[in-house]
């Protein structure tokens, strides 16, 4: 087993990883930027190294700095968390070359899944249903138009090096396609240093459903059910829940089975998530695979009574999964609200000093945060300041529990998304479980209409 792990991250996920290490009796090493000197992950780790100035490009993304800290501290492994270096295949390779275990899949798998067109093709080969489209990269407008005619409009152009909605364009006819394709390629080159794009059928109204998997180095693969993540704004998830109101036990088993099967085919190891679109006829299509622990992993932990970060560490250390698929029992309903330091109306970031910070508690309430009163939210990073997670027997009870927990989540000094969450949780479509990719657009439209009427 590992004796010491470096956590190459900050904020709530860094503390989350430290908790798992402490429970396993593993020593922890934090790294931090000059903006994070007073952060809780620094306080709770056994050792801490400043790795550079505030911009992440100079600190949390600075591979030589992170590796130097790991070498000086003499760690056995690095946990990358999510974001930053978590899906950087080169970083995983450097770790390997330095004889440090990267807690995640192999560099080859990270690289394969990072290329979204390649991921799509290999998942299709592994027997996964994928959206109608073309399994390669688009070369020119002629080819694009031919493919789009075959699959039918609307289509969506996606950047192969993108993912998570970055570099996407919906195209509704041939004229739009001919102007959009070069623009999308140009954008992709600027954003990702790679102009490759691919085309799929655009599913107008769908749900974003993802399946959590765990795979060890001994051929054991399990799924831990789904998370419904349809409530997103600009491809940033706001609320996640499990189970999805749209899934039956049978559909869950079908989606879980294909996810496990695909993992076996590609020899996947560690924790991973397969993202699917679920259309209104309940057909599901693979979109992309995330090769990291995700922000929303706690809702899965709550209903399956597992510790996914602990499992990641044990798998990376070469241990066998202690449970098989039949041991995984799904119990109750869990919802997560992402509390961001941002205006609930304009969504503008709201960094600054937090003057009051009350953490809700009581039965079935979990808060993941690295915030404390008088802490200054630096402007340099992601605006996530806390995750509020609830668990209860039924969805209705979980919603009621979340509402009362949001009321007790008192954050002063900065603006947060707490009031937005309170409104979403009171929305009739949300309460009815009528969720789709269209939810937030409609919600924001209705809200501004309501404001005009009232004002
Ligand atoms: C799609 C799609 C419809 N059809 N792909 C957005 C996030 C990224 N992971 C992929 N996304 C989408 N891909 C096809 N072929 C619709 C979306 C999408 C979306 C998905 C989930 C939740 C909210 C969304 C909002 C807009 C678009």
């Amino acid at each position: 087993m590992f004796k010491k792990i470096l956590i190459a991250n900050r904020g709530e996920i860094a503390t989350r990883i430290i908790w798992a290490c402490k429970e396993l009796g593993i020593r922890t090493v934090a790294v931090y930027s000059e903006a994070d000197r007073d952060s809780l992950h620094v306080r709770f780790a056994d050792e801490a190294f400043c790795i550079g100035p505030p911009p992440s490009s100079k600190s949390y993304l600075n591979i030589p700095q992170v590796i130097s800290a790991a070498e000086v501290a003499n760690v056995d492994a690095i946990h990358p968390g999510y974001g930053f270096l978590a899906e950087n295949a080169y970083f995983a390779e450097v770790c390997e070359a330095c004889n440090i275990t990267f807690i995640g899949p192999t560099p080859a798998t990270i690289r394969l899944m990072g290329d979204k067109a390649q991921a799509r093709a290999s998942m299709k080969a592994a027997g996964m249903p994928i959206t109608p489209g073309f399994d390669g990269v688009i070369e020119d407008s002629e080819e694009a138009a031919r493919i789009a005619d075959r699959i039918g409009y609307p289509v969506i152009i996606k950047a192969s090096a993108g993912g998570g909605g970055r570099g996407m364009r919906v195209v509704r006819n041939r004229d739009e396609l001919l102007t959009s394709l070069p623009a999308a390629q140009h954008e992709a080159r600027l954003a990702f240093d790679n102009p490759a794009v691919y085309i799929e059928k655009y599913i107008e109204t769908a749900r974003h459903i993802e399946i959590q998997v765990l795979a060890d180095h001994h051929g054991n693969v399990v799924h831990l059910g789904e998370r419904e993540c349809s409530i997103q704004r600009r491809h940033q998830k706001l609320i996640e829940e499990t189970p999805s109101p749209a899934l039956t036990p049978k559909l869950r088993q079908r989606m879980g089975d294909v996810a496990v099967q695909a993992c076996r085919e590609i020899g996947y190891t560690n924790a991973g998530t397969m993202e699917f679109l679920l259309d209104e006829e309940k057909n599901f299509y693979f979109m992309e695979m995330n090769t990291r622990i995700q922000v929303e992993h706690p809702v899965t932990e709550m209903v399956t009574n597992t510790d996914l970060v602990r499992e990641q560490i044990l798998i990376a250390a070469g241990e066998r999964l202690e449970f098989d698929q039949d041991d995984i029992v799904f119990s109750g309903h869990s919802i997560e609200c992402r509390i961001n330091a941002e205006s609930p109306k304009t969504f503008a970031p709201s960094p600054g000093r937090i003057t009051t910070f009350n953490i809700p508690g009581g039965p079935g309430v979990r808060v993941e945060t690295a915030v404390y009163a008088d802490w200054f939210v630096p402007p340099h990073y992601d605006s996530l300041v806390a995750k509020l997670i609830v668990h209860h027997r039924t969805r209705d009870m979980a919603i009621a529990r979340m509402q009362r927990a949001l009321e007790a989540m008192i954050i002063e000094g900065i603006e947060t998304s707490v009031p937005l969450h309170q409104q979403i949780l009171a929305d009739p479509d949300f309460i009815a479980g009528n969720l789709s990719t269209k939810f937030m657009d409609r919600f924001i439209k209705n809200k501004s209409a309501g404001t005009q009427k009232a004002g």
Side-chain angles (χ1 to χ4, degrees):
M1 181 43 57
F2 304 130
K3 289 196 177 66
K4 211 196 245 191
I5 291 177
L6 180 140
I7 297 108
N9 217 301
R10 63 182 298 282
E12 62 84 19
I13 194 63
T15 54
R16 170 71 186 81
I17 297 162
I18 292 172
W19 307 151
C21 290
K22 283 183 187 288
E23 290 179 17
L24 286 165
I26 298 169
R27 286 179 60 81
T28 53
V29 179
V31 291
Y32 62 97
S33 76
E34 286 163 14
D36 277 339
R37 287 188 185 287
D38 299 324
S39 291
L40 284 188
H41 75 290
V42 174
R43 180 181 304 198
F44 289 119
D46 295 303
E47 295 168 55
F49 292 81
C50 183
I51 53 166
S56 33
S57 60
K58 299 208 152 89
S59 49
Y60 298 104
L61 289 171
N62 186 332
I63 294 175
Q65 286 289 86
V66 173
I67 294 289
S68 299
E71 293 284 9
V72 171
N74 195 21
V75 301
D76 306 301
I78 296 182
H79 196 306
Y82 55 70
F84 296 130
L85 298 170
E87 288 171 293
N88 185 318
Y90 171 72
F91 177 64
E93 272 168 0
V94 174
C95 290
E96 243 173 44
C98 296
N99 227 351
I100 298 165
T101 303
F102 175 83
I103 301 176
T106 62
T109 300
I110 299 171
R111 190 164 281 127
L112 177 67
M113 294 304 152
D115 182 322
K116 304 303 169 187
Q118 249 185 285
R120 184 179 144 86
S122 54
M123 284 301 169
K124 186 184 180 186
M128 278 275 219
I130 58 170
T131 42
F134 179 65
D135 306 331
V137 162
I138 301 296
E139 296 300 336
D140 55 63
S141 306
E142 282 284 301
E143 188 189 22
R146 242 182 304 120
I147 296 159
D149 281 340
R150 176 168 58 76
I151 61 182
Y153 290 93
V155 298
I156 184 166
I157 307 174
K158 295 185 176 181
S160 198
R166 295 174 311 153
M168 296 187 345
R169 271 165 189 254
V170 178
V171 172
R172 302 200 174 268
N173 55 56
R174 182 184 258 261
D175 282 353
E176 264 182 46
L177 179 68
L178 295 179
T179 51
S180 283
L181 184 78
Q185 288 169 323
H186 178 73
E187 243 176 51
R189 188 196 300 277
L190 288 183
F192 313 115
D193 202 26
N194 177 355
V197 298
Y198 62 106
I199 290 187
E200 332 178 313
K201 175 85 184 167
Y202 180 65
I203 315 271
E204 201 74 59
T205 306
R207 289 171 188 254
H208 173 130
I209 308 277
E210 54 188 36
I211 301 281
Q212 176 73 52
V213 295
L214 283 175
D216 70 15
H217 292 272
H218 307 277
N220 302 301
V221 188
V222 297
H223 75 83
L224 293 105
E226 80 282 10
R227 293 184 287 261
E228 158 110 41
C229 307
S230 300
I231 302 193
Q232 306 185 7
R233 185 189 160 269
R234 297 203 179 156
H235 308 302
Q236 289 291 96
K237 294 166 187 165
L238 286 165
I239 300 180
E240 306 94 350
E241 65 178 297
T242 188
S244 163
L247 259 62
T248 58
K250 212 170 130 197
L251 182 52
R252 173 170 310 108
Q253 194 183 335
R254 270 178 51 218
M255 294 180 76
D257 284 349
V258 299
V260 166
Q261 177 58 28
C263 284
R264 290 190 196 287
E265 293 283 332
I266 64 168
Y268 194 85
T269 52
N270 216 281
T273 299
M274 299 198 188
E275 293 186 356
F276 297 91
L277 285 172
L278 181 70
D279 73 13
E280 290 175 296
E281 285 76 51
K282 307 243 170 148
N283 301 301
F284 62 89
Y285 309 96
F286 170 82
M287 272 198 298
E288 38 189 272
M289 179 165 197
N290 302 319
T291 57
R292 59 172 190 273
I293 190 77
Q294 292 196 215
V295 175
E296 59 273 25
H297 76 275
V299 296
T300 299
E301 295 182 325
M302 301 309 276
V303 303
T304 58
N305 192 22
T306 54
D307 178 339
L308 293 171
V309 177
R310 173 192 166 92
E311 298 307 327
Q312 285 193 290
I313 295 167
L314 293 174
I315 288 168
E319 302 275 316
R320 286 173 183 275
L321 276 177
E322 288 164 319
F323 43 84
D324 57 30
Q325 192 65 55
D326 295 338
D327 297 322
I328 297 166
V329 181
F330 300 98
S331 169
H333 200 99
S334 183
I335 306 175
E336 172 180 276
C337 287
R338 295 192 188 189
I339 315 296
N340 294 323
E342 65 186 22
S343 159
K345 291 200 184 71
T346 66
F347 299 94
S350 179
R353 191 161 304 279
I354 291 178
T355 53
T356 309
F357 193 70
N358 185 65
I359 299 179
V365 175
R366 169 175 171 186
V367 178
E368 295 287 338
T369 187
V371 169
Y372 55 92
D374 208 36
W375 185 65
F376 189 92
V377 181
H380 311 281
Y381 314 105
D382 191 284
S383 64
L384 184 80
V385 288
K387 304 190 304 204
L388 177 54
I389 305 117
V390 299
H391 185 221
H392 215 323
R393 288 207 308 282
T394 68
R395 186 169 189 271
D396 287 345
M397 290 160 86
I399 292 172
R401 184 160 271 178
M402 181 62 89
Q403 283 286 24
R404 70 95 174 147
L406 282 164
E407 230 179 281
M409 181 105 224
I410 300 168
I411 305 175
E412 289 169 341
I414 59 164
E415 286 197 285
T416 77
S417 45
V418 167
L420 177 72
H421 286 302
Q422 290 173 315
Q423 289 176 6
I424 296 173
L425 262 76
D427 180 89
D429 277 329
F430 180 85
I431 292 168
N434 289 332
L435 312 177
S436 82
T437 47
K438 300 241 178 313
F439 183 94
M440 274 314 285
D441 283 346
R442 198 229 64 214
F443 179 84
I444 290 167
K445 211 176 283 161
N446 287 357
K447 218 169 59 153
S448 56
T451 310
Q452 277 167 3
K453 236 185 259 164

